[in-house]
């Protein structure tokens, strides 16, 4: 057989909404390498740590390769007939609103389009909602209130051109790293450029901030209302713009007048001096971009936060021109595409409104559909309530993992368990949601499927396949269309490829649209397969025979009835009670640099699993002392809804009274760490987006009888411990452990963990109470286990290296049992640079030997010289000039 020749395919990163262009190089032997696409306008060749590690995540381990019904593999015909039959029967017996689709911003536009078309036009319900409800809904609602359309006004170039970038509730350094680096580079070129960060935590993003305003959780509405008042009182308004291009200013200012500086300090927690400095900077800078993300959207006042920000840009006319504007950055790779196809319960396709009878009639006519949803469907939180109370009797979850990511996650799981018919489409069966499904459908993954995505700056790019689809996996658009055909809608769903779907979507965007709707990509309405294959990235709108538009609203015309932008009179409400009885702390949740959501993909990469090896809580030193929590001890975090168990990471970057727990860890990777089990389903009244930050909580030290750390060659099938957390590492798996009671027989416990028939050598240090085990099979190490009455103080990186050390003969065993590096081996410390696996201690050593800049550390160690995602942390090490080692070192790379 001929070896296939090496190929290079241009595609798009499947992670965040920056939407970086990626070149996948498939080697002759089938190996894949990825690099940034130098020609892509989103990244010009750059990638972050997640993008750079994509090749590590495309293996077939844990992939779902055939449809399954009640756990048993079956063929597509049977599975599709069953899904179509059950949905059809449920609709006939209980009406169209008895079924629901819960979809995802990680769908490609073509997947999203057909799912929305099937539900709204052919089933006739609007019960299709998306995880974007947890993500972008408040921004969508805020845009629609202000602009009359869901339009992101600016583009990435504005970040280069701005003289002031205000980052609100955005950890850009970790969540949109390539944009963060773009700002950092612009600031290096033009040191007069200013960056202000507004976040209760001092995140890695603070690294480039001239000013960090550690705002009180949910203090954003008062802050921006206060800014509007300041602008008015200091004659910094653009009165011409307000008069000619906007409406409702007087009411908005009236609402703002209710708040004086004293109240502002109290509500925001920011000093009067800092408030004034920020207000003056905003007032004095024309080229100002305000970037915002989940610290804004995920709140009961999320939509008001968005409008409070937009109000300030309208009042100054800072919108629609180079280097300025409010800028909501999208989270998921296709959050924006989902909005374009209207794949949410309160939207219709192509920026048309479900409330509008003419829009409904137009879409129905275009689709030639037998019916059209007449009213808004159930939004995510209500959808799962509907599942719980029996209104929804058939549910299809696609490309999202709600048992981990939805608030009240345990109630969501219970609802799914009671639902008569649940279908899950995923690339893996190893998720907390997939294991509750009656029918599992194997989806094609990134690299195997083809379609388009739209990034934060309205840029539409192709994802292209470069791998063969394994087993029976199929693209989502195909799966949905097949079900639609089998429900009797063959004429409308007989697509041969995604190009046909994209052309239809583009045609609908231009259908009877002479400027009423800004989303218009009519230039692609007649696109054929070859043109689609070659489609270069472009920004919408791009109507037929017209160029793309980089900045919207530059003509001062908006999509409201009056054509003017609307001020929203945002009221400053008293902040939600964070000190509810018995819950004295505020729980904040979010992301870490190297994991993506529920870890189904990044959890496969050992490089990405090293930055943080286990779930953790960040807590301020004084709060830790108040609750008697020591560094690296375990903490029980609880709310009225439940409890989780995570590792303590004590850091002054966290504000007093506030704690942070990442959203990523779940039952596949830890014993009890799904943070959404703790989060109540409180939603923003306008957008229906749940408040996933700022939750009353409490903490207690969890005292274990035994703590442990293990490095194992094989993934353990079961871990019998009160606390465990599993992470991929070089050569195998690392496990953090804690047991409430001492096991009766330590060796038996170790053998069960390591698996197989290992020889076990143990060493017990009577003085410290530590016991160390080294397990071998045929002279090859299969596990190294450390157990102790306190958190285990062994260097994680060093212990991991023992599994794959070339010299693993008996001479080495004494070193392993000593539990520390021999005199010849250095302890690299916690991984900071994922690309070149450079540890904190190596960087600290470089700093100690005279490297005083990030560039110098890069020259000495290579750290930070590839994707650059770790540069804020390197700078942090330089500033502190020392790093802790020991058990917490695995955690503190970022603290
Ligand atoms: N590494 C990584 N990157 C990602 C993702 C990922 O999973 N991992 N996911 C992607 C997705 S889908 C999304 S939506 C984005 C999210 O991107 P971000 O929104 O940047 O990420 P988060 O960590 O959720 O939250 C941002 C910040 O909001 C702050 N915050 C909390 N409460 C408040 C408040 O009341 N006011 C203010 N001003 N700030 C507050 C938090 O402290 C946190 O630092 O990231 C995308 N990029
Ligand atoms: N507490 C708290 N909770 C949060 C957040 C928070 O900040 N705090 N953030 C919220 C936000 S912004 C978001 S976006 C959500 C994200 O939450 P989820 O959407 O639940 O998280 P993912 O892990 O991205 O889930 C995607 C699923 O799709 C699967 N998948 C991957 N590719 C494909 C494909 O091509 N087809 C199909 N069918 N499946 C595929 C993956 O294996 C995975 O199971 O979490 C939300 N939940
Ligand atoms: S910033 Fe990173 S995760 Fe986001 S699209 Fe670019 S490479 Fe992917
Ligand atoms: Mo998101």
């Amino acid at each position: 057989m001929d070896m296939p020749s090496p190929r290079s395919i241009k595609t798009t990163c499947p992670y965040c909404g920056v939407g970086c262009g990626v070149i996948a190089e498939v080697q002759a032997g089938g190996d894949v390498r990825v690099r940034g696409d130098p020609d892509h306008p989103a990244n010009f060749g750059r990638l972050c740590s997640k993008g750079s590690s994509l090749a590590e995540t495309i293996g077939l381990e844990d992939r779902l390769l055939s449809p399954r019904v009640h756990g048993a593999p079956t063929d597509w015909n049977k599975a599709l007939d069953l899904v179509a039959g059950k949905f059809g029967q449920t609709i006939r017996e209980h009406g169209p609103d008895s079924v629901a689709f819960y979809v995802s911003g990680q769908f490609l536009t073509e997947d999203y389009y057909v799912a929305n078309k099937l539900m709204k036009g052919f089933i006739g319900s609007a019960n299709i909602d998306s995880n974007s409800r947890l993500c972008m809904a408040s921004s969508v609602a805020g845009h629609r209130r202000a602009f009359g359309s869901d339009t992101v006004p600016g583009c990435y170039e504005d970040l280069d051109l701005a003289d002031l970038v205000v980052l609100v509730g955005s950890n850009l350094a970790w969540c949109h790293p390539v944009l963060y680096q773009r700002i950092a580079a612009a600031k290096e070129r033009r040191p007069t450029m200013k960056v202000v960060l507004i976040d209760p935590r001092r995140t890695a993003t603070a690294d480039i901030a001239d000013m960090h305003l550690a705002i009180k959780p949910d203090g954003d509405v008062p802050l921006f209302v206060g800014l509007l008042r300041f602008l008015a009182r200091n004659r910094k308004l653009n009165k011409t713009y307000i008069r000619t291009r906007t409406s409702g200013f007087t009411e908005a200012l009236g609402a703002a007048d209710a708040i004086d500086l004293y109240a502002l300090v109290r509500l925001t927690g920011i000093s009067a001096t800092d408030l004034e400095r920020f207000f003056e900077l905003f007032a004095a800078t024309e080229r100002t971009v305000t970037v915002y993300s989940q610290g804004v959207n995920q709140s009961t006042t999320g939509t008001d936060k968005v409008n409070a920000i937009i109000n300030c840009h309208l009042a100054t006319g800072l919108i629609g021109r180079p280097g300025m504007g409010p800028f909501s950055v999208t989270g998921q790779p296709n959050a924006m595409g989902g909005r374009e196809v209207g794949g949410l319960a309160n939207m219709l396709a192509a920026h048309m409104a479900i409330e509008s009878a003419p829009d409904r009639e137009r879409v129905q006519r275009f689709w030639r559909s037998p019916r059209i949803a007449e009213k808004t469907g159930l939004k995510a939180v209500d959808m799962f309530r509907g599942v719980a109370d029996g209104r929804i009797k058939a549910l299809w979850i696609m490309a999202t993992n709600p048992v981990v990511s939805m608030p009240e996650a345990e109630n969501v799981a219970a609802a799914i368990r009671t639902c008569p018919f649940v279908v899950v489409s995923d690339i893996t069966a190893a998720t907390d949601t997939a294991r509750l499904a009656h029918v599992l459908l194997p989806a094609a993954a990134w690299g195997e499927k083809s379609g388009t995505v739209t990034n934060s700056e309205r840029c539409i790019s192709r994802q292209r396949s470069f791998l063969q689809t394994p087993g029976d996996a199929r693209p989502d658009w195909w799966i949905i269309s097949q079900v639609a055909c089998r429900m009797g809608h063959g004429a409308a769903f007989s697509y041969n490829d995604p190009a046909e779907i994209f052309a239809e979507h583009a045609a609908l965007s231009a259908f009877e649209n002479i400027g009423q709707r800004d989303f218009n990509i009519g230039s692609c309405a007649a696109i054929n397969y070859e043109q689609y294959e070659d489609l270069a990235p472009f920004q919408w709108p791009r109507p037929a025979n017209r160029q793309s538009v980089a900045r919207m609203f530059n003509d001062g015309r908006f999509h409201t009835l009056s054509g003017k932008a609307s001020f929203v009179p945002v009221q400053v409400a008293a902040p939600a009670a964070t000190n509810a009885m018995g819950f004295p702390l505020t729980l904040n949740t979010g992301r870490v640099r190297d994991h993506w959501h529920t870890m189904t993909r990044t959890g496969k990469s050992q490089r990405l699993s090293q930055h943080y090896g286990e779930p953790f809580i960040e807590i301020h030193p004084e709060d830790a002392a108040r609750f008697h929590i020591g560094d690296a001890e375990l903490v029980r975090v609880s709310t009225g809804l439940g409890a989780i168990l995570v590792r303590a990471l004590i850091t002054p970057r966290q504000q007093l009274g506030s704690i942070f727990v990442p959203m990523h860890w779940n039952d596949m990777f830890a014993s009890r760490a799904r943070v959404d089990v703790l989060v109540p389903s409180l939603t923003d009244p306008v957008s229906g987006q749940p408040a996933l930050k700022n939750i009353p909580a409490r903490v207690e030290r969890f005292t274990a009888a035994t703590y442990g750390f293990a490095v194992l060659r094989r993934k353990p099938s079961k871990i019998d411990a009160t606390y465990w957390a599993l992470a991929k590492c070089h050569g195998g798996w690392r496990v953090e452990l804690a047991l409430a009671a001492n096991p009766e027989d330590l060796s038996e416990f170790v053998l069960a963990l390591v698996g197989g028939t290992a020889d076990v050598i143990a060493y017990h240090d009577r003085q410290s109470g530590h016991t160390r085990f080294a397990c071998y099979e045929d002279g090859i190490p299969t596990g190294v286990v450390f157990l102790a009455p306190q958190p285990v103080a062994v260097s994680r990186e060093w212990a991991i290296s023992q599994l794959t050390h070339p010299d693993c003969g008996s001479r080495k065993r004494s070193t392993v049992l000593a539990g520390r590096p021999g005199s010849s081996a250095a302890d690299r410390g916690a991984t900071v640079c994922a690309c070149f696996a450079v540890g904190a201690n190596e960087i600290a050593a470089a700093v100690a030997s005279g490297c005083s800049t990030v560039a110098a550390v890069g020259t000495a160690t290579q750290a930070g010289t590839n994707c650059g995602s770790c540069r804020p942390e390197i700078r942090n090490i330089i500033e502190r000039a020392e790093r802790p080692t020991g058990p917490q070192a695995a955690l503190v790379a970022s603290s």
Side-chain angles (χ1 to χ4, degrees):
M1 205 175 82
D2 287 341
M3 275 286 235
S5 52
R7 293 171 298 135
S8 238
I9 288 94
K10 287 195 170 202
T11 181
T12 312
C13 176
Y15 295 122
C16 83
V18 180
C20 296
V22 167
I23 298 182
E25 293 170 331
V26 186
Q27 316 293 310
D31 280 354
V32 174
R33 275 196 223 140
V34 297
R35 62 187 170 90
D37 178 354
D39 300 325
H40 198 288
N43 58 318
F44 300 107
R46 285 207 156 279
L47 292 178
C48 75
S49 50
K50 291 181 298 302
S52 306
S53 306
L54 272 167
E56 274 189 58
T57 64
I58 55 181
L60 295 187
E61 174 197 345
D62 278 343
R63 276 295 294 275
L64 176 65
L65 294 175
S66 64
R68 288 187 204 166
V69 175
H70 295 294
T74 186
D75 60 40
W76 272 112
N77 259 330
K78 290 203 186 81
L80 292 166
D81 282 344
L82 177 65
V83 175
K86 281 277 190 190
F87 268 78
Q89 186 193 352
T90 310
I91 293 162
R92 278 192 303 281
E93 288 175 7
H94 305 282
D97 290 332
S98 65
V99 301
F101 294 169
Y102 184 57
V103 302
S104 166
Q106 291 167 74
F107 255 1
L108 302 179
T109 298
E110 294 74 4
D111 306 327
Y112 236 135
Y113 179 85
V114 289
N116 189 52
K117 180 178 176 185
L118 173 57
M119 184 52 89
K120 294 202 180 120
F122 291 79
I123 291 176
S125 166
N127 282 346
I128 172 167
D129 214 40
S130 155
N131 62 0
S132 277
R133 182 69 57 197
L134 317 177
C135 182
M136 302 315 303
S138 298
S139 278
V140 173
H143 287 156
R144 290 171 92 182
R145 287 205 300 193
F147 309 142
S149 59
D150 175 22
T151 310
V152 171
C155 59
Y156 293 161
E157 195 196 24
D158 293 331
L159 300 171
D160 298 329
L161 300 175
D163 292 319
L164 170 63
V165 177
V166 184
L167 297 161
V168 195
S170 154
N171 186 4
L172 210 71
W174 283 9
C175 295
H176 299 90
V178 167
L179 285 189
Y180 163 84
Q181 285 171 28
R182 192 160 174 169
I183 297 173
K187 196 163 162 22
E188 219 155 275
R189 282 195 305 274
R190 266 186 314 119
T192 50
M193 178 182 182
K194 294 275 184 283
V195 176
V196 176
L197 173 67
I198 299 167
D199 192 310
R201 299 190 297 152
R202 191 172 172 79
T203 59
T205 305
D207 183 54
I208 51 164
D210 298 277
M211 201 189 289
H212 169 220
L213 303 178
I215 195 167
K216 266 194 194 167
D218 281 340
D220 308 85
V221 168
L223 179 68
F224 284 91
V225 164
L227 174 58
L228 184 67
R229 182 173 179 266
F230 177 93
L231 295 168
R233 297 202 159 205
N234 293 279
R235 302 203 190 138
K236 298 293 181 186
L237 300 171
N238 184 334
K239 289 202 169 146
T240 312
Y241 193 87
I242 293 174
R243 196 178 60 248
T244 58
R245 308 294 190 200
T246 72
S247 64
F249 176 71
T250 315
E251 293 78 0
L253 188 61
D257 259 339
I259 179 169
D260 60 16
L261 191 62
Y262 175 76
L264 211 52
V265 170
R266 188 170 47 82
L267 292 169
T268 61
I270 302 167
S271 71
T273 322
D274 281 351
L275 283 171
E276 279 183 350
R277 270 176 62 210
F278 166 56
F279 290 171
E280 272 161 15
L281 191 59
F282 190 101
T285 318
E286 183 171 34
R287 291 193 164 201
T288 297
V289 180
T290 308
V291 173
Y292 53 94
S293 187
Q294 300 313 341
V296 167
N297 294 339
Q298 291 172 340
S299 161
T300 49
T301 57
T303 310
D304 279 354
K305 290 187 186 189
V306 170
N307 287 110
I309 291 169
I310 295 176
N311 281 352
C312 294
H313 279 268
L314 292 175
T316 44
L318 302 183
I319 187 167
R321 286 179 287 142
M324 60 188 81
F327 200 161
S328 145
V329 282
T330 49
Q332 298 179 89
N334 203 28
M336 193 73 99
R339 287 145 70 172
E340 291 151 20
V341 303
L344 286 152
N346 56 325
M347 293 165 91
L348 207 51
H351 279 203
M352 281 177 271
I354 201 161
E355 310 80 44
S356 153
D359 280 0
R360 290 198 304 269
E361 187 276 328
R362 183 179 304 109
V363 175
Q364 182 175 4
R365 192 152 39 83
F366 179 87
W367 279 340
R368 297 201 188 99
S369 66
R371 49 192 79 83
I372 190 85
E374 299 282 329
K375 58 177 195 317
T376 296
L378 293 173
K379 296 174 183 166
V381 167
D382 289 333
M383 183 182 279
F384 283 95
R385 286 193 183 129
V387 175
D389 66 24
R391 276 173 292 158
I392 302 296
K393 296 173 172 62
L395 173 68
W396 189 355
I397 299 166
M398 314 179 215
T400 177
N401 190 359
V403 172
V404 183
S405 56
M406 279 285 293
E408 291 186 26
E410 211 40 63
N411 293 343
V412 167
I416 293 175
R417 277 194 202 97
T418 60
C419 186
F421 188 63
V422 178
V423 184
V424 170
S425 300
D426 206 298
I427 57 169
T428 171
T431 81
D432 295 336
T433 304
R435 63 181 178 182
L436 304 181
H438 301 117
V439 179
L440 266 177
L441 302 176
W446 181 79
E448 300 155 10
K449 58 184 189 176
S450 275
T452 52
V453 288
T454 310
N455 74 4
S456 294
E457 61 162 357
R458 293 175 277 106
C459 179
I460 298 177
S461 299
R462 282 294 318 275
Q463 268 196 22
R464 295 184 174 88
S465 65
F466 55 88
L467 297 167
Q468 254 185 347
T469 308
D472 281 339
R474 292 283 184 280
D476 290 290
W477 67 264
W478 182 90
I479 303 174
I480 301 159
S481 301
Q482 281 294 315
V483 168
C485 291
R486 284 159 207 251
M487 288 175 77
H489 311 306
F493 288 89
S494 305
Y495 302 108
N496 293 304
D497 54 55
E500 292 180 4
I501 304 171
F502 184 73
E504 182 180 314
H505 163 58
L508 177 54
S509 77
F511 186 56
E512 299 176 359
N513 182 6
I514 42 168
Q516 299 93 327
R517 302 169 339 245
D518 58 0
F519 178 67
N520 185 338
I521 50 168
S523 54
C524 294
I527 197 167
N528 63 27
Y529 183 82
E530 283 72 29
Q531 290 163 329
Y532 182 74
E533 277 311 283
D534 294 341
L535 188 68
F538 72 97
Q539 268 181 300
W540 69 255
R542 197 171 75 181
N545 307 316
R546 296 245 298 274
Q547 297 295 312
S548 282
V549 178
R551 289 177 191 86
M552 307 294 282
F553 310 134
N554 48 354
D555 57 359
R557 293 217 335 264
F558 295 85
H559 287 270
T560 52
L561 283 178
S562 64
K564 293 177 170 184
S566 308
F567 279 95
V568 178
V570 177
Q571 305 295 332
V572 177
T578 47
N579 294 329
M581 278 281 275
F583 299 103
L585 298 169
T586 296
L587 168 66
N588 177 2
T589 68
R591 291 152 173 82
V592 302
R593 190 189 77 193
D594 287 353
H595 273 307
W596 177 260
H597 297 164
T598 71
M599 301 164 71
T600 61
R601 287 174 290 165
T602 49
K604 286 174 132 184
S605 157
Q606 59 95 2
R607 269 204 289 175
L608 297 178
S609 301
Q610 294 318 298
H611 188 229
Y612 285 95
E614 62 181 327
F616 60 89
I617 170 182
E618 280 185 353
I619 183 167
H620 189 276
E622 284 175 37
D623 282 327
R626 179 154 70 113
F627 296 103
H628 312 290
I629 293 163
D631 213 359
E633 287 185 337
L634 290 172
V635 182
R636 188 174 177 275
V637 188
S638 55
T639 64
L641 287 164
I644 58 169
L645 215 48
V646 291
R647 185 78 64 181
L649 199 168
I650 300 173
T651 166
R653 292 184 155 242
Q654 195 60 42
Q655 76 172 238
L656 201 63
S658 193
I659 52 176
F660 176 85
V661 175
M663 64 164 291
H664 308 288
W665 274 267
N666 56 72
D667 292 0
M668 302 292 136
F669 291 90
S671 49
R672 253 206 307 169
R674 275 187 291 136
V675 74
D676 275 306
V677 162
L678 309 183
V679 179
S681 291
L682 295 177
T683 54
D684 177 283
V686 186
S687 67
Q689 177 156 357
L692 302 172
K693 305 190 172 0
N694 194 9
I695 301 136
R698 72 161 167 255
V699 294
E700 286 138 310
R701 174 167 179 254
F702 173 81
T703 321
T706 299
Y707 294 85
F709 174 69
V711 190
L712 309 173
R713 193 170 289 275
R714 286 183 290 260
K715 188 175 179 179
S717 49
K718 185 172 172 289
I719 307 175
D720 192 12
T722 324
Y723 170 83
W724 57 263
L726 197 60
K728 257 270 173 80
C729 67
H730 187 51
W733 295 85
R734 52 179 284 184
V735 194
E736 300 285 346
L737 295 159
L739 290 82
N742 287 319
E744 279 181 17
D745 184 328
L746 282 186
S747 296
E748 236 170 62
F749 173 80
V750 168
L751 265 176
L753 188 66
V754 176
T757 52
D759 295 333
V760 184
I761 311 169
Y763 168 77
H764 181 72
D765 179 340
R766 207 174 281 243
Q767 212 173 1
S768 65
H770 285 209
T771 314
R772 299 164 201 143
F773 302 84
C775 306
Y776 295 85
E777 267 170 43
D778 303 325
I780 311 261
T782 51
V784 185
V785 183
F786 303 84
L787 298 175
Q790 316 85 24
V792 172
V794 64
S795 156
R796 275 31 180 181
E797 276 61 31
W798 173 81
I800 290 164
S801 70
Q802 298 314 294
L803 210 57
T804 48
H805 201 284
D807 173 24
C808 53
S810 56
R811 250 184 331 116
K812 201 77 190 21
R813 296 181 184 189
S814 58
T815 328
V816 174
L817 291 178
R820 61 187 137 76
S823 54
S824 59
D827 172 9
R828 301 206 323 258
T831 304
V832 174
C833 170
C835 296
F836 295 113
V838 186
N841 292 349
E842 291 169 290
I843 295 170
V847 174
S849 71
C851 299
S852 57
T853 62
V854 175
V857 169
T859 312
T861 65
Q862 278 191 296
T865 56
N866 182 41
C867 79
S869 300
C870 61
R871 276 183 212 149
E873 285 148 89
I874 298 175
R875 204 158 300 146
N876 192 20
I877 296 178
I878 295 170
E879 274 164 22
R880 298 201 335 182
E882 63 166 7
R883 299 298 289 174
T885 54
Q888 77 277 37
L891 296 166
V892 294
S894 60
S895 67

